[in-house]
Amino acid sequence: MAVPGDPPNGTPDGTGGDDEEFRSDEYRSVVFDEDFVRAARLQEYSAQERMGEHARAVRSRSIWSSGGTAPRTSTPGRGARQGMLLVLLIATAFAAAVYMGLRNPYVPPPGGPVQPLTSTVVPLAPTTAVPGGLPPELFAKSPAADYRVGAAGITLPAVRRTHHFTDVQVVTALSIAKDYLVQSSLDPDVLAGSATRPVRVLLDPDQLEQFDRSMTSPAGDGRHAATGWLVRFDPATAVMADSRVRVSGTLAFEEVAQDVLEVTTDHTFVYAVRPATGAPAAAEGASLFTVRRELRLRFDRDDLGARRLELASAYVMAGPQDCSADPSGGFRPLLAGAGPTTVGPAASDPYASGHPRRSAGLCGVLAPSATPGAPVSPAP
């Protein structure tokens, strides 16, 4: 008969039969009978219940937790160090972005298509007979007596950077503008009408078609006058009597858009000319011819890199000329001894400083101060 507390199937094989030794007090306290085991109710606790009081000790380790309380399980000062590290990373990224921006500044895209040249060429008719003489004497008696000779009369202004163009880019634009004035107003072959390439190579490619048409088929339509692009004389009328052209004027620059720099030139050129027909005339048969040119030249960054320009507009006054002559293909000076004409709405002085008085018509009157030998009126 089994004794309560014995294993249900009796004593295992290989164990002693000493009931008293088997049922020692030490094992009796941990041995349950079969009825007790079957009556036991199993219960699975939840994770929260299994953690018990330890659940409240678990906190988020985020430094942005509400209340700003540091995690209980973190070491003192660890949250502050994490915050400082985050601020340091943000500052480093910002500094790197600024540095890369300075090393690689944003370059605005080039402007739109190049606009065609608009030009106005106004002949100036004399009010007195055209005087003749030796070129040095004529220059000495004219308002151009103190003008410099050739390119020396084209001086550059003081240079400063603009908002989007550096001082180097401004100097480049001014030097290109000077080159254009020299080639288009002083080159002997250009003046004689035998060459156009020195001027053509300085123009933006988008203007070449208009330029070529102006050279081959000049017209006084405001777009295709050859004398809007350059100075040249009708080879059948006059040729140069002295290669030393007198020049005076100014250059100015202005940023008109973030990718466009504009240079304005305003110069007076005084030429000594003589008749082109027959044998060379006597030295005393020379006369002076004056051309006032006001040009607007535009440059984008591509133009500066390629040393070229866009000629936006040209306003030209030239005389003495007959108002009935068409000056679009080449100037036709009234030479020494030619009689005066009075056709024209108002007097225009090509030697006056400041912006030239623009004629409302197609012809102006050469002011008396512009005539060699006449009293020189003070500039307005």
Side-chain angles (χ1 to χ4, degrees):
M1 180 176 181
V3 180
D6 288 343
N9 297 324
T11 302
D13 295 338
T15 59
D18 190 354
D19 291 340
E20 291 297 326
E21 181 180 356
F22 181 78
R23 297 184 178 91
S24 63
D25 291 338
E26 180 180 0
Y27 288 98
R28 186 181 302 274
S29 62
V30 297
V31 176
F32 306 99
D33 59 18
E34 185 175 1
D35 294 335
F36 176 83
V37 173
R38 289 177 178 177
R41 184 168 64 92
L42 299 179
Q43 180 179 358
E44 181 69 20
Y45 292 96
S46 65
Q48 182 71 23
E49 291 172 333
R50 289 197 302 270
M51 294 176 65
E53 290 298 325
H54 295 285
R56 298 179 58 84
V58 179
R59 296 286 182 90
S60 171
R61 303 173 71 92
S62 171
I63 63 172
W64 310 113
S65 57
S66 61
T69 305
R72 291 185 181 181
T73 56
S74 61
T75 58
R78 183 174 181 180
R81 288 196 299 271
Q82 288 177 337
M84 290 296 296
L85 179 60
L86 180 60
V87 171
L88 180 61
L89 289 175
I90 294 175
T92 303
F94 179 77
V98 171
Y99 175 76
M100 293 302 294
L102 294 176
R103 289 289 302 273
N104 301 282
Y106 169 72
V107 177
V114 176
Q115 298 298 315
L117 165 68
T118 58
S119 61
T120 302
V121 182
V122 180
L124 300 179
T127 57
T128 61
V130 178
L134 295 171
E137 295 176 355
L138 293 173
F139 283 125
K141 296 177 182 179
S142 76
D146 296 328
Y147 286 9
R148 295 182 179 181
V149 176
I154 306 174
T155 58
L156 303 186
V159 174
R160 67 183 187 282
R161 66 167 298 147
T162 66
H163 188 62
H164 294 98
F165 290 87
T166 66
D167 52 354
V168 174
Q169 291 174 318
V170 173
V171 169
T172 300
L174 292 171
S175 65
I176 298 172
K178 180 174 181 176
D179 288 346
Y180 185 82
L181 289 173
V182 170
Q183 299 302 328
S184 65
S185 307
L186 302 176
D187 185 283
D189 293 331
V190 173
L191 296 176
S194 60
T196 59
R197 178 173 172 75
V199 178
R200 191 179 191 273
V201 296
L202 292 174
L203 294 174
D204 189 282
D206 291 341
Q207 288 190 313
L208 294 182
E209 182 179 355
Q210 183 188 11
F211 175 81
D212 293 340
R213 179 179 170 185
S214 301
M215 298 301 110
T216 57
S217 302
D221 58 0
R223 294 292 181 91
H224 300 97
T227 47
W229 300 91
L230 47 79
V231 176
R232 76 178 181 184
F233 298 103
D234 178 5
T237 302
V239 294
M240 295 291 294
D242 190 335
S243 60
R244 294 169 295 179
V245 182
R246 303 307 196 266
V247 184
S248 179
T250 61
L251 288 92
F253 62 91
E254 179 186 7
E255 180 182 312
V256 295
Q258 69 175 4
D259 56 346
V260 178
L261 188 66
E262 183 174 280
V263 175
T264 302
T265 74
D266 185 5
H267 289 80
T268 299
F269 301 86
V270 186
Y271 306 87
V273 297
R274 60 175 178 81
T277 58
E284 60 271 12
S287 61
L288 298 185
F289 188 80
T290 304
V291 179
R292 176 78 175 265
R293 304 181 75 196
E294 183 179 338
L295 310 178
R296 285 195 306 116
L297 315 174
R298 290 190 170 185
F299 303 85
D300 58 26
R301 288 174 174 80
D302 289 341
D303 292 329
L304 295 175
R307 291 197 63 82
R308 66 194 185 203
L309 57 88
E310 306 165 17
L311 183 55
S313 67
Y315 185 83
V316 182
M317 298 188 303
Q321 290 188 97
D322 191 332
C323 286
S324 62
D326 180 10
S328 60
F331 296 125
R332 300 175 181 178
L334 289 174
L335 302 170
T341 62
T342 57
V343 178
S348 299
D349 187 356
Y351 293 93
S353 60
H355 292 290
R357 178 184 298 173
R358 297 178 182 266
S359 173
L362 298 179
C363 186
V365 175
L366 189 63
S369 63
T371 303
V376 179
S377 60

